[in-house]
Amino acid sequence: MGLVAVTWHNFLRKCHPQKIRSLHTLKVDHQLDQILLSPPLASLDIRDIWTPKSYCQNIPEVHKSFNEQNAVVLDGKLISMEIKSKIADEVRRMKKCLGKVPGLAVVLVGERRESQIYVRNKVTACEEVGISSMVTELSTDCAEAEVHNAVMQYNKDPSIHGILVQLPLPKHLDEEKVLDAVCLAKDVDGFHPLNIGNLAIAGREPLFTPCTPKGCIELLLRAGVEITGKKAVVIGRSNIVGLPTSLLLQRHHATVTVVHAFTENSKQVTCEADIVVSAAGLPNLVRGDWIKPGAVVIDVGTTPVEDPSYEDGYRLVGDVCFEEAVRVASIITPVPGGVGPMTVAMLLLNTLDSAKRILNFT
């Protein structure tokens, strides 16, 4: 005999049917339930109940061949458009009632091509939904005090409700200090230690959840993927994606394993997962034989690879070898057009949520 956790799915259905329904029907002041399927995180927190149960170890089969069934490809661009449409409705309602709109400020340091493209896409997305935006561009060799001053000015600006420092920063700048300077109430990237801490602690609700992990969960929910009780592997443990994604999956009651550069037998560990979220930033790291047939694969990786045949001279490649994985997985996200558009949509939503909170608008 041993102690194992009662499967959340079965336990909740038998013992708390009303609680399960409330997870998806709970109303909140900022009305995010009208835009996302994701419920407030605090509403997901249920105390672990352990019970004696006979222990049976199932050794998963390691599959070495691909089947002929193609996966469902999640269209992140289409889903993000649906979300942005509802955000735009809320922005128009705010403007009509208050004469104000949410404001997002971006601090861009240096001339990294990828960062410039990301910022441009975010500014364009703001325009599409009616959110005002401001961008401060600083040179690569700027002093840390200049970045700090730019952040502090936006902290004090009442027309700005969200502040984004585009990462990565040049190596001579202390990224931690810069991010800590962002006002907690305007930390729409969700990287402030208090936001990450509240994400990790049961019963707590962060003011903002980091955008990419939030987008990943929304993709899973909209695809009808059952997260509770499933084995999830997160590849990569960065503070931006890997860490908060693992925390968020745990809050949704997945059994989470984090694979990183020092993990032994990464392929074997990943093969056991029902849900794979890869955010390592290594093109084609995850091959088809890393994936259990029928698993759900969320590819966060977006690495630019030189390709003269493309207009910009490069193309974006994900962590997952799409051509192989699409023949093994049941659901998969493409690169580009998968997680990327959802990340931008979550940024807009966090900015809207911040403006509602600051302006006391419901």
Side-chain angles (χ1 to χ4, degrees), residues 30-31 41 48 59 102 123 125 144 182 186 226 261 344 356 362:
H30 46 70
Q31 297 181 336
L41 292 179
D48 277 354
I59 301 176
V123 169
E144 190 169 300
V182 176
K186 298 183 179 184
E226 180 69 47
V344 175
K356 285 185 172 183
T362 58

Side-chain angles (χ1 to χ4, degrees), residues 144 211 277 281:
E144 190 169 300
C211 302
V277 180

Side-chain angles (χ1 to χ4, degrees), residues 41-199:
L41 292 179
S43 73
L44 294 170
D45 296 315
I46 304 169
R47 183 172 61 89
D48 277 354
I49 297 179
W50 299 80
T51 183
K53 189 175 182 180
S54 60
Y55 178 67
C56 178
Q57 182 177 12
N58 294 318
I59 301 176
E61 178 184 358
V62 177
H63 299 268
K64 297 181 180 179
S65 61
F66 307 149
N67 62 31
E68 298 301 322
Q69 178 64 48
N70 285 339
V72 173
V73 179
L74 282 181
D75 191 340
K77 186 177 294 186
L78 179 61
I79 295 173
S80 70
M81 287 175 62
E82 295 173 359
I83 293 171
K84 288 193 292 185
S85 176
K86 294 182 179 180
I87 292 173
D89 290 342
E90 283 295 279
V91 171
R92 283 191 291 269
R93 188 171 70 89
M94 176 182 289
K95 186 175 183 179
K96 181 178 179 180
C97 295
L98 301 181
K100 298 179 180 180
V101 298
L104 174 67
V106 181
V107 178
L108 174 62
V109 182
E111 298 179 354
R112 288 183 74 252
R113 180 174 58 180
E114 295 82 8
S115 293
Q116 291 174 332
I117 292 172
Y118 294 153
V119 169
R120 185 167 67 243
N121 290 342
K122 290 165 185 175
V123 169
T124 300
C126 284
E127 294 173 354
E128 291 173 350
V129 301
I131 291 176
S132 68
S133 62
M134 299 178 66
V135 179
T136 293
E137 297 187 42
L138 300 172
S139 63
T140 303
D141 59 353
C142 71
E144 190 169 300
E146 293 180 72
V147 185
H148 187 271
N149 289 339
V151 170
M152 295 305 294
Q153 287 181 3
Y154 287 135
N155 281 344
K156 299 173 183 178
D157 189 338
S159 70
I160 296 299
H161 309 100
I163 301 172
L164 165 69
V165 178
Q166 183 64 45
L167 302 177
L169 293 173
K171 292 183 179 180
H172 71 282
L173 299 176
D174 189 327
E175 189 173 286
E176 182 179 346
K177 286 184 179 180
V178 171
L179 294 179
D180 283 352
V182 176
C183 172
L184 177 62
K186 298 183 179 184
D187 174 40
V188 289
D189 252 344
F191 296 152
H192 193 285
L194 285 177
N195 277 321
I196 296 296
N198 284 331
L199 179 61

Side-chain angles (χ1 to χ4, degrees), residues 118 212-213 215-216 219 234-235 238 240-242 245 276-281 297-303 317-320 333-335 338-340 343:
Y118 294 153
T212 298
C216 290
L219 282 172
V234 178
I235 303 176
S238 70
I240 297 173
V241 181
T245 298
V276 177
V277 180
S278 188
V297 179
I298 305 294
D299 191 353
V300 181
T302 51
T303 303
V317 179
D319 287 359
V320 179
T333 60
V335 175
V339 175
T343 297

Side-chain angles (χ1 to χ4, degrees), residues 4-14 49 51 53 228-230 253:
V4 297
V6 174
T7 302
W8 280 111
H9 180 72
N10 293 333
F11 173 77
L12 295 174
R13 285 188 181 278
K14 291 178 182 178
I49 297 179
T51 183
K53 189 175 182 180
T228 298
K230 299 300 181 181
H253 311 301

